[in-house]
């Protein structure tokens, strides 16, 4: 859950910092210290504030007649401040400087739009013509010619990131109602231009973005009271022509029939955004408010009314919001907790102690990865459906790939090509650079391969499937047919890998694997490829090794007097072969170990275990447990839990028989007990004798 907490005033504002669009501040930027912010007004003054103390630490102004046209930023490497006044005049100074007339000055050859400061990197200077320079390169020759990247376009917004050690700049331009997105890597001299997909009767009002795993996520706040998401991969072919970026709906800003007319917004974390705007209900006067929305559950989680009005600007640094409220700059502290149903019911585990394997989330895949590679029409179609249907649609996605896609051509060739040819094509496909939709492509490929396996018994690209499971983060949800085909072919090595690496295998499939493993003979398993890594360190006991055991009861040596009789504990020396000592071979032990260490729930697994014949289940599982306990590869607590589960099965079996006989014969308790002894004891005795 998200919440708005304490609010306080940071400072008063001058005449230009009033209420309404077009007023307010020029910008608010972070300082060198996390508790510092740099305020630039729409005149000629910049002020450094310490937020916790609510007091200014420094104030600098340009001369009368001059205007600061680019927000002041802090160079995090040198702790210097950088500003541009009158569009072309660059100023650089430090904390101890008082008079800006006496600090460093450079006149540039082109007008500056914005300066972006990055940690551990040189600041980036973005010019109004779209040209970009790092500050150090610009200062070497301030009058150097700056190229015009855009023509007749106006920059509306820009942001900079660090991807690895490489700075990346993104900016949005507008021309005749069309919006364009530019992504530039100054050090690599790489520039890509995209056109933003148009929205009928609606225009973007505000932008924000973040970068993760070579993908820029651009969020757009539209006048239709909605937030849309656009995914832009950094790895692009420089020869490609201008592309149109498709967008997907992230959030609808409506509450019980009332719509929030947003003016600006910021991203708080992967599940929360904050929106500043006015909430208007039918027949009521609109009220400006600050809101926090949960994008995962599509809900409003916190709201604060702002009766004095705002300038429509919103900034967020650390755990604090900054915005103008009336004639003051207000700070509001917020908090966001992990968005999950587990958190709502108090069952959320500590993420630092969790050791779960990562696996593909189909909801995330549908929004953040699959849409990047698909045409815009396909993307809109996919997003118009419920996210919950994506899993059932994944086979159809393979048929929707564009003809020009290498993956699309390969998916068509799977139907007719030989196993060797298919594996060669797969190697070429995997050797290419990763794209944002790579896992979606792998899911489509594996689904197509499994369809071919079902219709053509001679086709089975086992080597590729093993390689995929070993080297990629796959899951049962991504390729559910894979284990079904492996079970049909009794490919125990592939099943072992799936059990070890898939975190979301249904209990029914786990039970089926157990049943298959128990049914296969040790002689057959010796000829198969089974990974013995989990038991190899325990099976190096030489034959005829002498093992000494001493009988100990209840923690005491039996060489004590009990009931007046001397009982002498026996010390035996056994000469036995390791094969005779372990009930099953190492191959089967490794397979059963994979089952016992897979993720399952007793509640959902027991109904399937009851389908096994009772005697087979008890004998087989007891043999397996004794083998694994002998090998030392299974935890004692886990073995006790499994034994408890087995005896629950036995007791339920006995309980049912007692009541059936009791009902049919209507005999006395002793008669029923005799029936129980007659029918159950042979079964139990034969079970444990094995």
């Amino acid at each position: 859950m998200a919440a708005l907490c304490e609010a306080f005033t940071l400072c008063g504002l001058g005449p230009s910092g009033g209420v309404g669009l077009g007023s307010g501040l020029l910008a608010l930027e972070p300082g060198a210290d996390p508790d510092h912010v740099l305020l630039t007004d729409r005149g000629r003054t910049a002020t450094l504030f310490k937020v916790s103390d609510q007091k200014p630490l420094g104030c600098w102004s340009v001369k009368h007649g001059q205007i600061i046209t680019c927000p002041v930023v802090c160079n995090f490497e040198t702790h210097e401040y950088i500003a541009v006044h009158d569009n072309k005049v660059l100023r650089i100074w430090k904390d101890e400087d008082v008079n800006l007339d006496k600090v460093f000055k450079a006149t540039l050859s082109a007008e500056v739009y914005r300066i972006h400061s990055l940690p551990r990197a040189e600041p980036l200077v973005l010019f109004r013509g779209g040209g970009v320079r790092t500050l150090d390169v610009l200062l070497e020759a301030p009058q150097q010619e700056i190229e015009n990247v855009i023509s007749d376009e106006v920059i509306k917004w820009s942001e900079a990131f660090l991807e690895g050690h490489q700075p990346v700049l993104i900016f949005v331009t507008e021309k005749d109602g069309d919006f364009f997105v530019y992504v530039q890597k100054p050090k690599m001299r790489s520039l890509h231009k995209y056109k933003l997909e148009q929205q009928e009767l609606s225009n973007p009002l505000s932008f924000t973005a973040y970068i993760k795993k070579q993908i820029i996520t651009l969020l757009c706040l539209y006048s239709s009271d909605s937030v849309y998401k656009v995914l832009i991969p950094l790895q692009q072919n420089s020869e490609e022509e201008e592309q149109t970026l498709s967008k997907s709906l992230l959030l609808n800003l409506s509450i019980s029939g009332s719509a929030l007319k947003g003016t600006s917004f910021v991203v708080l974390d992967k599940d929360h955004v904050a929106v500043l705007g006015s909430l208007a209900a039918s027949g009521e006067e609109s009220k400006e408010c600050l809101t926090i929305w949960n994008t995962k559950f599509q809900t409003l989680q916190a709201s604060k009314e702002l009766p004095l009005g705002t300038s429509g600007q919103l900034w967020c640094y650390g755990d604090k919001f900054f915005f103008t409220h009336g004639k003051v700059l207000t700070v509001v502290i917020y908090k966001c907790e992990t968005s999950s149903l587990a958190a709502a019911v108090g069952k959320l585990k500590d993420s630092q102690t969790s050791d779960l394997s990562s696996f593909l989330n189909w909801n995330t895949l549908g929004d953040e990865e699959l849409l990047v590679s698909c045409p815009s029409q396909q993307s809109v179609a996919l997003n118009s459906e419920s996210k919950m249907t994506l899993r059932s649609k994944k086979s159809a996605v393979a048929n929707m790939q564009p003809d020009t896609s290498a993956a699309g051509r390969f998916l068509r060739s799977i139907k007719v090509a030989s196993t060797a040819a298919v594996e060669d094509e797969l190697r070429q496909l995997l050797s290419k650079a990763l794209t944002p939709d790579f896992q979606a492509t792998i899911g489509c490929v594996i689904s197509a391969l499994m369809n071919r396996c079902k219709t053509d018994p001679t086709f089975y690209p086992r080597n590729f499937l093993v390689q995929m499971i070993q080297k990629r983060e796959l899951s049962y949800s991504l390729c559910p047919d894979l284990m079904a085909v492996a079970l049909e072919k009794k490919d125990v090595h592939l099943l072992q890998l799936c059990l070890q690496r898939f975190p979301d295998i249904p209990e029914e499939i786990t039970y089926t694997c157990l049943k298959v493993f128990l049914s296969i003979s040790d002689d057959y398993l010796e000829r198969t490829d089974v990974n013995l890594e989990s038991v190899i360190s325990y099976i190096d006991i030489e034959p005829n090794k002498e093992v000494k055991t001493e009988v100990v009861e209840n923690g005491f040596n039996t060489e004590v007097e009990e009931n007046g009789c001397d009982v002498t504990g026996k010390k035996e020396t056994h000469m036995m072969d390791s094969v005779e000592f372990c009930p099953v071979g190492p191959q089967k032990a490794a397979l059963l170990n994979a089952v016992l260490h897979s993720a399952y729930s007793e509640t959902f697994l027991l109904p399937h275990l009851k389908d096994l014949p009772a005697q087979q289940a008890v004998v087989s599982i007891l043999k397996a447990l004794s083998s694994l306990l002998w090998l030392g590869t299974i935890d004692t607590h886990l073995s006790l839990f499994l034994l408890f589960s087995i005896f629950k099965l036995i007791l339920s079996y006995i309980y049912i028989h007692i009541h059936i006989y009791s009902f049919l014969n209507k005999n006395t308790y002793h008669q029923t007990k005799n029936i129980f002894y007659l029918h159950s004891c042979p079964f139990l005795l034969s079970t444990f004798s094995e």
Side-chain angles (χ1 to χ4, degrees):
M1 294 292 291
L4 295 170
C5 308
E6 176 190 358
F8 57 89
T9 297
L10 181 60
C11 65
L13 301 176
S16 61
V19 175
L21 297 178
S23 57
L25 307 175
L26 185 60
L28 190 75
E29 295 285 337
D33 188 280
D35 195 30
H36 295 176
V37 292
L38 270 167
L39 184 154
T40 307
D41 63 23
R42 292 186 180 273
R44 56 190 191 91
T45 303
T47 308
L48 177 67
F49 283 95
K50 185 173 183 179
V51 179
S52 58
D53 291 344
Q54 305 169 41
K55 68 177 183 180
L57 300 178
C59 183
W60 303 272
S61 297
V62 295
K63 292 191 303 183
H64 285 284
Q66 297 175 342
I67 298 177
I68 298 178
T69 53
C70 177
V72 177
V73 298
C74 177
N75 186 337
F76 298 119
E77 293 297 292
T78 63
H79 289 195
E80 295 175 325
Y81 303 105
I82 312 165
V84 175
H85 63 83
D86 301 317
N87 297 314
K88 291 185 178 182
V89 182
L90 184 72
R91 296 280 187 173
I92 301 177
W93 71 94
K94 293 187 176 182
D95 281 315
E96 57 269 21
D97 294 318
V98 178
N99 190 348
L100 291 187
D101 285 339
K102 297 180 180 180
V103 302
F104 176 84
K105 172 184 175 183
T107 302
L108 309 178
S109 62
E111 294 186 355
V112 176
Y113 173 77
R114 195 73 181 258
I115 300 175
H116 292 281
S117 188
L118 296 169
R120 303 179 302 280
E122 278 290 315
L124 296 178
V125 182
L126 173 62
F127 293 87
R128 294 190 182 276
V132 179
R133 296 287 188 275
T134 57
L135 183 63
D136 55 350
V137 172
L138 185 62
L139 293 180
E140 289 176 0
Q143 284 295 312
Q144 62 185 274
E145 184 179 355
I146 306 297
E147 70 280 2
N148 281 325
V149 175
I150 59 179
S151 58
D152 300 328
E153 299 172 27
V154 179
I155 299 178
K156 294 294 185 179
W157 169 88
S158 64
E159 189 57 87
F161 315 97
L162 268 184
E163 178 61 21
H165 298 290
Q166 294 293 331
V168 179
L169 185 79
I170 177 175
F171 59 93
V172 177
T173 65
E174 186 266 339
K175 178 184 177 182
D176 299 330
D178 292 327
F179 287 83
F180 303 91
V181 181
Y182 292 81
V183 177
Q184 192 164 2
K185 299 178 183 178
K187 289 189 176 181
M188 301 179 64
R189 297 184 179 180
S190 169
L191 176 66
H192 293 282
K193 179 181 179 181
Y194 308 89
K195 184 177 180 180
L196 195 60
E197 183 184 19
Q198 289 187 334
Q199 178 82 5
E200 293 184 4
L201 304 177
S202 180
N203 291 316
L205 303 175
S206 179
F207 303 90
T208 189
Y210 60 90
I211 190 169
K212 185 178 182 181
K213 294 182 179 179
Q214 295 285 313
I215 298 177
I216 296 176
T217 302
L218 175 66
L219 302 183
C220 312
L221 174 62
Y222 274 77
S223 57
S224 58
D225 313 324
S226 303
V227 177
Y228 284 86
K229 176 168 61 177
V230 180
L231 300 175
I232 310 170
L234 283 182
Q235 296 181 354
Q236 290 287 341
N237 186 352
S238 58
E239 298 179 359
E240 292 182 355
E241 297 180 357
E242 177 185 306
Q243 301 179 35
T244 298
L245 294 172
S246 59
K247 59 183 183 296
S248 59
L249 181 63
L250 177 68
L251 180 65
N252 207 340
L253 302 173
S254 60
I255 317 162
S256 304
S258 302
L260 179 68
K261 301 293 182 181
T263 55
S264 59
F265 72 121
V266 293
V267 176
L268 306 182
D269 58 26
K270 65 185 182 67
D271 295 327
H272 297 90
V273 296
V275 184
L276 185 67
S278 57
L279 187 62
S282 57
E284 296 182 8
E285 185 179 355
S286 61
K287 300 176 181 178
E288 290 196 62
C289 56
L290 173 65
T291 57
I292 298 179
W293 298 75
N294 187 303
T295 57
K296 178 183 289 187
F297 298 130
Q298 300 285 300
T299 55
L300 174 65
Q301 293 201 329
S303 177
K304 180 180 179 63
E305 286 191 14
L306 307 172
L308 301 180
T310 71
S311 63
Q313 299 167 300
L314 178 65
W315 299 274
C316 179
Y317 299 117
D319 61 346
K320 300 177 182 68
F321 293 123
F322 300 83
F323 55 90
T324 62
H325 186 207
K327 288 290 185 179
V328 299
L329 180 63
T330 298
V331 181
V332 175
I333 300 174
Y334 74 93
K335 64 177 181 179
C336 284
E337 297 177 355
T338 304
S339 298
S340 66
L341 294 177
V345 297
K347 297 294 184 180
L348 184 66
K349 293 183 178 180
D350 188 354
S351 59
Q352 294 181 349
T353 60
S354 176
D355 193 26
L356 298 177
S357 302
S358 60
F359 60 94
L360 187 66
N361 184 324
W362 270 102
N363 292 342
T364 305
L365 177 67
D367 286 340
E368 295 184 10
E369 295 176 306
L370 192 58
L371 298 179
V372 176
S373 64
C374 300
S376 59
Q377 184 177 359
Q378 173 188 339
S379 303
V380 174
L382 281 174
N383 277 278
S384 63
E385 301 183 63
S386 171
K387 293 179 181 178
M388 297 301 292
T389 64
L390 286 177
R391 179 169 169 176
S392 62
K393 297 289 185 181
K394 69 180 180 306
S395 297
V397 173
N399 300 324
M400 296 172 63
Q401 299 291 329
D403 294 342
T404 58
S405 167
R409 292 193 299 270
F410 173 66
L411 288 172
R412 290 191 298 274
S413 69
I414 286 177
K415 299 178 181 179
V416 294
S418 64
T419 302
V422 167
E423 290 190 346
D424 288 340
E425 288 282 347
L426 286 168
R427 279 191 287 270
Q428 295 179 15
L429 182 65
L430 297 177
S431 65
K432 297 181 179 180
L434 295 182
T435 57
D437 63 336
F438 183 75
Q439 272 192 303
T441 302
I442 292 299
C444 296
V445 168
I446 293 179
S447 296
L449 290 173
M450 294 303 100
N451 291 334
R452 169 83 182 272
C453 290
K454 292 176 182 178
T455 57
D456 183 3
T458 62
F459 178 82
Y460 188 54
R462 183 178 181 277
N463 294 334
F464 165 75
L465 296 175
V466 170
Q467 181 184 1
M468 280 293 92
I469 298 173
Q470 289 176 334
K471 296 185 178 181
R472 307 291 176 186
E473 289 186 354
L474 302 180
S475 66
Y476 181 87
S477 304
L478 183 63
C479 42
D481 295 333
L482 175 60
M483 293 191 71
V485 172
L487 284 167
E488 182 181 350
K489 296 184 178 292
K490 292 190 176 181
D491 190 342
V492 293
H493 183 214
L494 194 68
L495 291 171
Q496 182 189 25
L497 290 175
C498 293
L499 288 167
Q500 290 172 341
R501 295 177 180 271
F502 289 2
D504 58 341
I505 301 175
E507 281 75 8
E508 182 180 4
I509 302 298
T510 303
Y511 155 75
T512 308
C513 292
L514 174 64
K515 190 175 180 181
V516 169
F517 294 162
L518 293 174
S519 66
I520 299 176
S521 66
D522 288 330
D523 294 336
Y524 174 82
L525 289 176
E526 288 179 358
R527 303 190 300 271
T528 60
D529 182 15
V530 176
N531 184 3
L532 301 179
E533 184 178 347
S534 63
V535 298
I536 193 65
S537 60
Y538 301 96
I539 60 176
D540 56 352
I541 298 178
E542 299 175 1
N544 301 325
K545 184 174 181 178
E546 188 175 282
V547 182
K548 294 184 178 181
T549 60
E550 180 178 353
V551 178
V552 177
E553 295 182 2
N554 296 328
F556 296 93
N557 192 299
T558 53
E559 295 179 354
V560 294
E561 195 174 284
E562 185 175 320
N563 296 328
C565 301
D566 291 336
V567 180
T568 304
K570 299 178 180 180
K571 294 185 178 180
E572 301 175 302
T573 301
H574 300 283
M575 302 292 291
M576 56 181 62
D577 189 90
S578 63
V579 175
E580 296 176 349
F581 190 84
C582 182
V584 299
Q587 286 81 8
K588 183 172 288 188
L591 295 175
L592 296 174
N593 202 24
V595 172
L596 295 175
H597 282 84
S598 63
Y600 61 84
S601 168
E602 176 194 3
T603 304
F604 299 111
L605 186 61
L606 282 177
H608 299 294
L609 290 177
K610 290 179 181 179
D611 294 337
L612 282 174
Q615 189 167 353
Q616 178 188 352
V618 175
V619 171
S620 302
I621 298 178
L622 282 177
K623 279 186 176 182
L625 278 174
S626 61
S627 306
L628 295 170
L629 284 169
W630 176 78
L631 291 171
T633 61
I634 184 171
D635 183 76
T636 306
H637 295 290
L638 179 59
S639 64
L640 291 175
F641 160 72
L642 291 171
L643 282 172
F644 175 70
S645 301
I646 293 169
F647 284 114
K648 283 176 68 175
L649 289 173
I650 297 172
L651 291 175
S652 63
Y653 173 85
I654 296 171
Y655 179 80
I656 292 171
H657 279 72
I658 290 175
H659 280 269
I660 290 175
Y661 285 118
S662 177
F663 176 77
L664 292 176
N665 297 327
K666 300 187 186 314
N667 288 327
T668 62
Y669 168 77
H670 296 288
Q671 290 174 315
T672 305
K673 184 170 67 173
N674 292 334
I675 293 171
F676 162 71
Y677 286 142
L678 289 173
H679 288 82
S680 300
C681 285
F683 157 68
L684 292 175
L685 289 173
S686 63
T687 296
F688 288 104
S689 66
E690 295 190 42

